[in-house]
Coordinates of all heavy atoms in Angstrom, one line a residue:
M1 N 17.5 39.0 -36.6 CA 18.5 39.8 -35.9 C 19.9 39.4 -36.4 O 20.8 40.2 -36.3 CB 18.4 39.5 -34.4 CG 17.2 40.1 -33.8 SD 17.1 41.9 -34.1 CE 16.7 42.5 -32.6
I2 N 20.1 38.2 -36.9 CA 21.4 37.8 -37.4 C 21.8 38.7 -38.5 O 23.0 39.2 -38.6 CB 21.5 36.3 -37.7 CG1 21.3 35.4 -36.5 CG2 22.7 36.0 -38.5 CD1 21.1 34.0 -36.8
G3 N 20.9 38.9 -39.5 CA 21.2 39.8 -40.6 C 21.6 41.2 -40.2 O 22.5 41.7 -40.7
A4 N 20.9 41.7 -39.2 CA 21.2 43.1 -38.7 C 22.6 43.1 -38.1 O 23.4 44.1 -38.3 CB 20.2 43.5 -37.7
A5 N 23.0 42.1 -37.4 CA 24.3 42.0 -36.8 C 25.4 41.9 -37.8 O 26.4 42.5 -37.7 CB 24.4 40.8 -35.8
R6 N 25.1 41.1 -38.9 CA 26.1 41.0 -39.9 C 26.3 42.3 -40.7 O 27.4 42.8 -41.0 CB 25.7 39.9 -40.9 CG 25.9 38.5 -40.3 CD 25.6 37.5 -41.3 NE 25.8 36.2 -40.7 CZ 25.4 35.0 -41.2 NH1 24.9 35.0 -42.4 NH2 25.6 33.9 -40.6
L7 N 25.2 43.0 -41.0 CA 25.2 44.3 -41.6 C 26.0 45.3 -40.8 O 26.9 46.0 -41.3 CB 23.8 44.8 -42.0 CG 23.1 44.2 -43.1 CD1 21.7 44.7 -43.2 CD2 23.8 44.5 -44.4
K8 N 25.7 45.3 -39.5 CA 26.5 46.2 -38.6 C 28.0 45.9 -38.6 O 28.8 46.8 -38.6 CB 25.9 46.1 -37.2 CG 26.6 47.1 -36.2 CD 26.1 47.0 -34.8 CE 26.7 47.9 -33.8 NZ 28.0 48.3 -34.0
G9 N 28.3 44.6 -38.7 CA 29.7 44.2 -38.8 C 30.4 44.7 -40.0 O 31.5 45.2 -40.0
F10 N 29.7 44.6 -41.2 CA 30.2 45.1 -42.4 C 30.4 46.6 -42.4 O 31.4 47.2 -42.9 CB 29.3 44.8 -43.6 CG 29.2 43.3 -43.9 CD1 28.0 42.7 -44.3 CD2 30.3 42.5 -43.8 CE1 28.0 41.3 -44.6 CE2 30.3 41.1 -44.0 CZ 29.1 40.5 -44.4
V11 N 29.4 47.3 -41.8 CA 29.5 48.8 -41.6 C 30.7 49.2 -40.7 O 31.5 50.0 -41.1 CB 28.2 49.4 -41.1 CG1 28.4 50.9 -40.7 CG2 27.1 49.3 -42.1
D12 N 30.8 48.5 -39.6 CA 31.9 48.7 -38.7 C 33.3 48.5 -39.3 O 34.3 49.1 -39.0 CB 31.8 47.9 -37.4 CG 30.6 48.3 -36.5 OD1 30.0 49.4 -36.8 OD2 30.2 47.5 -35.6
A13 N 33.3 47.5 -40.2 CA 34.6 47.1 -40.9 C 34.9 48.1 -42.0 O 36.0 48.0 -42.6 CB 34.5 45.7 -41.4
G14 N 33.9 48.9 -42.4 CA 34.2 49.9 -43.5 C 33.9 49.3 -44.8 O 34.2 49.9 -45.9
L15 N 33.2 48.1 -44.9 CA 32.9 47.5 -46.2 C 31.6 48.0 -46.8 O 31.4 48.0 -48.0 CB 32.8 46.0 -46.0 CG 34.1 45.3 -45.6 CD1 33.9 43.8 -45.3 CD2 35.2 45.4 -46.7
M16 N 30.7 48.5 -45.9 CA 29.4 49.0 -46.3 C 29.1 50.3 -45.6 O 29.7 50.5 -44.5 CB 28.3 48.0 -46.1 CG 28.5 46.7 -46.8 SD 27.1 45.6 -46.6 CE 26.0 46.2 -47.9
A17 N 28.2 51.0 -46.2 CA 27.7 52.3 -45.5 C 26.2 52.2 -45.4 O 25.6 51.7 -46.3 CB 28.2 53.5 -46.3
R18 N 25.7 52.7 -44.4 CA 24.2 52.8 -44.2 C 23.7 54.2 -44.5 O 24.2 55.2 -44.0 CB 23.9 52.5 -42.7 CG 22.5 52.5 -42.3 CD 22.3 52.2 -40.9 NE 20.9 52.1 -40.5 CZ 20.4 52.5 -39.4 NH1 21.2 53.2 -38.5 NH2 19.2 52.4 -39.1
R19 N 22.8 54.2 -45.5 CA 22.3 55.5 -45.9 C 20.8 55.6 -45.7 O 20.0 54.7 -46.0 CB 22.5 55.7 -47.4 CG 24.0 55.8 -47.8 CD 24.1 56.1 -49.3 NE 25.4 56.1 -49.7 CZ 25.8 55.9 -51.0 NH1 24.9 55.8 -51.9 NH2 27.1 55.9 -51.3
A20 N 20.4 56.7 -45.2 CA 18.9 57.0 -44.9 C 18.3 57.5 -46.2 O 18.9 58.2 -47.0 CB 18.7 58.0 -43.8
Y21 N 17.0 57.1 -46.4 CA 16.2 57.7 -47.5 C 14.8 57.7 -47.0 O 14.4 57.0 -46.1 CB 16.4 56.9 -48.8 CG 15.8 55.5 -48.8 CD1 14.5 55.3 -49.3 CD2 16.6 54.4 -48.4 CE1 14.0 54.0 -49.3 CE2 16.1 53.2 -48.4 CZ 14.8 52.9 -48.9 OH 14.2 51.7 -48.9
R22 N 14.0 58.6 -47.6 CA 12.6 58.8 -47.2 C 11.7 57.9 -48.1 O 11.8 58.0 -49.3 CB 12.2 60.2 -47.3 CG 12.9 61.2 -46.4 CD 12.4 61.1 -45.0 NE 10.9 61.3 -44.9 CZ 10.2 61.0 -43.9 NH1 10.7 60.5 -42.8 NH2 8.9 61.3 -43.9
S23 N 10.8 57.2 -47.5 CA 9.8 56.5 -48.2 C 8.5 57.3 -47.8 O 8.5 58.1 -46.9 CB 9.7 55.1 -47.8 OG 9.1 54.9 -46.5
P24 N 7.4 57.1 -48.4 CA 6.2 57.8 -48.1 C 5.8 57.7 -46.6 O 5.2 58.6 -46.0 CB 5.1 57.2 -49.0 CG 5.8 56.7 -50.2 CD 7.2 56.2 -49.6
Q25 N 6.1 56.5 -46.0 CA 5.6 56.3 -44.6 C 6.7 56.7 -43.6 O 6.3 57.2 -42.5 CB 5.3 54.8 -44.4 CG 4.2 54.3 -45.2 CD 4.6 53.9 -46.6 OE1 5.8 53.7 -46.9 NE2 3.6 53.7 -47.5
C26 N 8.0 56.5 -43.9 CA 9.0 56.8 -42.8 C 10.4 56.8 -43.5 O 10.5 56.6 -44.6 CB 8.9 55.7 -41.8 SG 9.3 54.0 -42.4
T27 N 11.3 57.0 -42.6 CA 12.7 57.0 -43.0 C 13.2 55.5 -43.1 O 12.9 54.8 -42.1 CB 13.6 57.8 -42.1 OG1 13.2 59.1 -42.1 CG2 15.1 57.7 -42.5
R28 N 13.8 55.1 -44.1 CA 14.3 53.8 -44.3 C 15.8 53.9 -44.5 O 16.3 54.9 -44.8 CB 13.6 53.0 -45.4 CG 12.1 52.8 -45.2 CD 11.5 52.0 -46.3 NE 10.1 51.8 -46.1 CZ 9.7 50.7 -45.5 NH1 10.5 49.7 -45.1 NH2 8.4 50.5 -45.3
Y29 N 16.5 52.7 -44.5 CA 17.9 52.7 -44.7 C 18.3 51.7 -45.8 O 17.6 50.6 -45.9 CB 18.6 52.3 -43.4 CG 18.4 53.4 -42.3 CD1 17.3 53.3 -41.4 CD2 19.2 54.5 -42.2 CE1 17.1 54.3 -40.5 CE2 19.0 55.5 -41.3 CZ 17.9 55.4 -40.4 OH 17.7 56.3 -39.5
E30 N 19.3 52.0 -46.5 CA 19.8 51.1 -47.5 C 21.3 50.9 -47.1 O 21.9 51.8 -46.5 CB 19.7 51.6 -48.9 CG 20.5 52.8 -49.2 CD 20.3 53.3 -50.7 OE1 19.9 52.5 -51.5 OE2 20.7 54.4 -50.9
Y31 N 21.8 49.8 -47.5 CA 23.3 49.5 -47.3 C 23.9 49.4 -48.6 O 23.5 48.6 -49.5 CB 23.4 48.2 -46.5 CG 22.9 48.3 -45.1 CD1 21.6 48.2 -44.8 CD2 23.8 48.6 -44.1 CE1 21.1 48.4 -43.5 CE2 23.4 48.8 -42.8 CZ 22.0 48.7 -42.5 OH 21.6 48.8 -41.2
V32 N 25.0 50.1 -48.8 CA 25.7 50.1 -50.1 C 27.2 49.9 -49.8 O 27.7 50.1 -48.7 CB 25.6 51.5 -50.8 CG1 24.1 51.7 -51.2 CG2 26.1 52.6 -49.9
L33 N 27.9 49.3 -50.8 CA 29.3 49.0 -50.7 C 30.1 50.3 -50.7 O 29.8 51.2 -51.4 CB 29.8 48.2 -51.9 CG 29.4 46.7 -51.9 CD1 29.8 46.0 -53.2 CD2 29.9 46.0 -50.7
T34 N 31.1 50.4 -49.8 CA 32.0 51.5 -49.9 C 33.1 51.2 -50.9 O 33.1 50.1 -51.5 CB 32.7 51.6 -48.5 OG1 33.4 50.4 -48.2 CG2 31.7 51.9 -47.4
D35 N 34.0 52.1 -51.1 CA 35.2 51.8 -52.0 C 35.9 50.6 -51.5 O 36.3 49.7 -52.3 CB 36.1 53.0 -52.0 CG 37.2 52.9 -53.0 OD1 36.9 52.5 -54.2 OD2 38.4 53.0 -52.6
L36 N 36.1 50.4 -50.2 CA 36.8 49.3 -49.7 C 36.0 48.0 -50.0 O 36.6 47.0 -50.4 CB 37.1 49.4 -48.2 CG 37.7 48.2 -47.5 CD1 39.1 48.0 -48.0 CD2 37.8 48.5 -46.0
G37 N 34.7 48.1 -49.8 CA 33.9 46.9 -50.2 C 34.0 46.5 -51.6 O 34.1 45.3 -52.0
R38 N 33.9 47.5 -52.5 CA 34.1 47.2 -53.9 C 35.4 46.6 -54.3 O 35.5 45.7 -55.1 CB 33.8 48.5 -54.8 CG 32.3 48.9 -54.8 CD 32.1 50.0 -55.8 NE 32.7 51.3 -55.3 CZ 32.2 52.1 -54.4 NH1 31.1 51.8 -53.9 NH2 32.9 53.2 -54.1
R39 N 36.5 47.1 -53.6 CA 37.8 46.6 -53.9 C 38.0 45.2 -53.3 O 38.9 44.5 -53.8 CB 38.9 47.5 -53.3 CG 39.0 48.9 -54.0 CD 40.1 49.7 -53.6 NE 40.5 49.5 -52.2 CZ 40.8 50.4 -51.3 NH1 40.7 51.7 -51.7 NH2 41.1 50.2 -50.1
S40 N 37.2 44.8 -52.4 CA 37.2 43.5 -51.8 C 36.5 42.4 -52.6 O 36.8 41.2 -52.4 CB 36.6 43.5 -50.4 OG 37.3 44.4 -49.6
L41 N 35.7 42.8 -53.6 CA 34.9 41.8 -54.4 C 35.8 40.8 -55.1 O 35.5 39.6 -55.1 CB 34.0 42.5 -55.3 CG 32.8 43.2 -54.7 CD1 32.0 44.0 -55.7 CD2 31.9 42.2 -53.9
P42 N 36.9 41.2 -55.7 CA 37.7 40.2 -56.4 C 38.3 39.1 -55.4 O 38.4 38.0 -55.8 CB 38.9 41.0 -57.0 CG 38.3 42.4 -57.2 CD 37.4 42.6 -56.0
I43 N 38.6 39.5 -54.2 CA 39.1 38.6 -53.2 C 38.0 37.6 -52.8 O 38.3 36.4 -52.8 CB 39.6 39.4 -52.0 CG1 40.8 40.3 -52.4 CG2 40.0 38.4 -50.9 CD1 41.2 41.3 -51.3
L44 N 36.8 38.1 -52.6 CA 35.7 37.3 -52.3 C 35.4 36.3 -53.4 O 35.1 35.1 -53.1 CB 34.5 38.1 -51.9 CG 34.6 39.0 -50.7 CD1 33.4 39.9 -50.5 CD2 34.8 38.1 -49.4
G45 N 35.5 36.8 -54.6 CA 35.3 35.9 -55.8 C 36.3 34.8 -55.8 O 35.9 33.6 -56.1
E46 N 37.5 35.1 -55.5 CA 38.6 34.0 -55.5 C 38.3 33.0 -54.4 O 38.6 31.8 -54.6 CB 40.0 34.6 -55.4 CG 40.5 35.3 -56.6 CD 40.5 34.4 -57.8 OE1 41.0 33.3 -57.7 OE2 40.1 34.9 -58.9
L47 N 37.9 33.5 -53.3 CA 37.5 32.6 -52.2 C 36.4 31.6 -52.6 O 36.4 30.4 -52.3 CB 37.2 33.3 -50.9 CG 38.4 34.0 -50.2 CD1 37.9 34.9 -49.1 CD2 39.3 32.9 -49.6
V48 N 35.4 32.1 -53.3 CA 34.3 31.3 -53.7 C 34.8 30.3 -54.7 O 34.5 29.1 -54.6 CB 33.2 32.2 -54.3 CG1 32.2 31.3 -55.1 CG2 32.5 33.0 -53.3
R49 N 35.6 30.7 -55.7 CA 36.2 29.8 -56.6 C 37.0 28.7 -56.0 O 37.0 27.5 -56.3 CB 37.0 30.5 -57.7 CG 36.1 31.1 -58.8 CD 36.9 31.7 -59.9 NE 37.5 33.0 -59.6 CZ 36.9 34.1 -59.6 NH1 35.6 34.1 -59.9 NH2 37.4 35.3 -59.4
F50 N 37.8 29.1 -55.0 CA 38.7 28.1 -54.2 C 37.8 27.1 -53.5 O 38.0 25.9 -53.6 CB 39.5 28.9 -53.2 CG 40.3 27.9 -52.3 CD1 41.4 27.3 -52.8 CD2 39.9 27.8 -51.0 CE1 42.1 26.4 -52.0 CE2 40.6 26.9 -50.2 CZ 41.7 26.2 -50.7
G51 N 36.7 27.6 -52.8 CA 35.8 26.7 -52.2 C 35.1 25.7 -53.1 O 35.0 24.5 -52.8
A52 N 34.8 26.2 -54.3 CA 34.1 25.3 -55.3 C 35.1 24.3 -55.8 O 34.7 23.2 -56.1 CB 33.6 26.2 -56.4
A53 N 36.4 24.7 -56.0 CA 37.4 23.8 -56.5 C 37.7 22.6 -55.5 O 37.9 21.5 -56.0 CB 38.7 24.6 -56.8
I54 N 37.8 22.9 -54.2 CA 38.1 21.9 -53.3 C 36.9 21.0 -52.9 O 37.0 19.9 -52.4 CB 38.8 22.4 -52.0 CG1 37.9 23.3 -51.2 CG2 40.1 23.1 -52.4 CD1 38.5 23.6 -49.9
G55 N 35.7 21.6 -53.1 CA 34.5 20.9 -52.8 C 34.2 20.8 -51.3 O 35.0 21.2 -50.5
P56 N 33.2 20.1 -50.9 CA 32.8 19.9 -49.5 C 33.9 19.1 -48.8 O 34.5 18.2 -49.4 CB 31.5 19.2 -49.5 CG 31.3 18.7 -50.9 CD 32.2 19.5 -51.8
T57 N 34.2 19.4 -47.6 CA 35.1 18.6 -46.8 C 34.4 18.1 -45.5 O 33.4 18.6 -45.1 CB 36.3 19.5 -46.3 OG1 35.8 20.6 -45.6 CG2 37.1 20.0 -47.5
D58 N 35.0 17.0 -45.0 CA 34.4 16.5 -43.7 C 34.9 17.3 -42.6 O 36.1 17.4 -42.4 CB 34.9 15.0 -43.6 CG 34.3 14.4 -42.4 OD1 33.5 15.0 -41.6 OD2 34.7 13.2 -42.1
S59 N 34.0 18.0 -41.9 CA 34.4 18.9 -40.8 C 35.2 18.2 -39.7 O 36.0 18.8 -39.0 CB 33.2 19.6 -40.2 OG 32.4 18.6 -39.6
T60 N 35.1 16.9 -39.5 CA 35.9 16.2 -38.5 C 37.4 16.2 -38.9 O 38.2 16.2 -38.0 CB 35.4 14.8 -38.2 OG1 35.4 14.0 -39.5 CG2 34.0 14.8 -37.7
D61 N 37.7 16.1 -40.1 CA 39.1 16.2 -40.6 C 39.8 17.5 -40.1 O 40.9 17.5 -39.6 CB 39.2 16.0 -42.1 CG 38.8 14.7 -42.6 OD1 38.8 13.7 -41.8 OD2 38.6 14.5 -43.8
A62 N 39.1 18.6 -40.3 CA 39.7 19.9 -39.9 C 39.9 20.0 -38.4 O 40.9 20.5 -37.9 CB 38.8 21.0 -40.4
A63 N 39.0 19.4 -37.6 CA 39.1 19.5 -36.2 C 40.2 18.7 -35.6 O 40.8 19.0 -34.6 CB 37.7 19.0 -35.6
E64 N 40.6 17.6 -36.3 CA 41.6 16.7 -35.9 C 43.0 17.2 -36.3 O 44.0 16.7 -35.7 CB 41.4 15.3 -36.4 CG 40.2 14.7 -35.9 CD 39.8 13.3 -36.5 OE1 40.6 12.9 -37.4 OE2 38.8 12.8 -36.2
S65 N 43.1 18.1 -37.2 CA 44.4 18.6 -37.7 C 45.1 19.4 -36.7 O 44.6 20.1 -35.9 CB 44.3 19.4 -39.0 OG 43.7 18.5 -40.0

């Protein structure tokens, strides 16, 4: 259920779109990036690089700040 809630959040934010398609048994759904989602990828990449550069942190330090 967590994954479904996250996907719904991405759709609600306009980052992804839910598209129906037919399989032999039933209608299924796929999630694809919208234009906004594609334009957000460089930002997400920079956040990943930033996190890798600073490395893991002790969560108690952040709570005390």
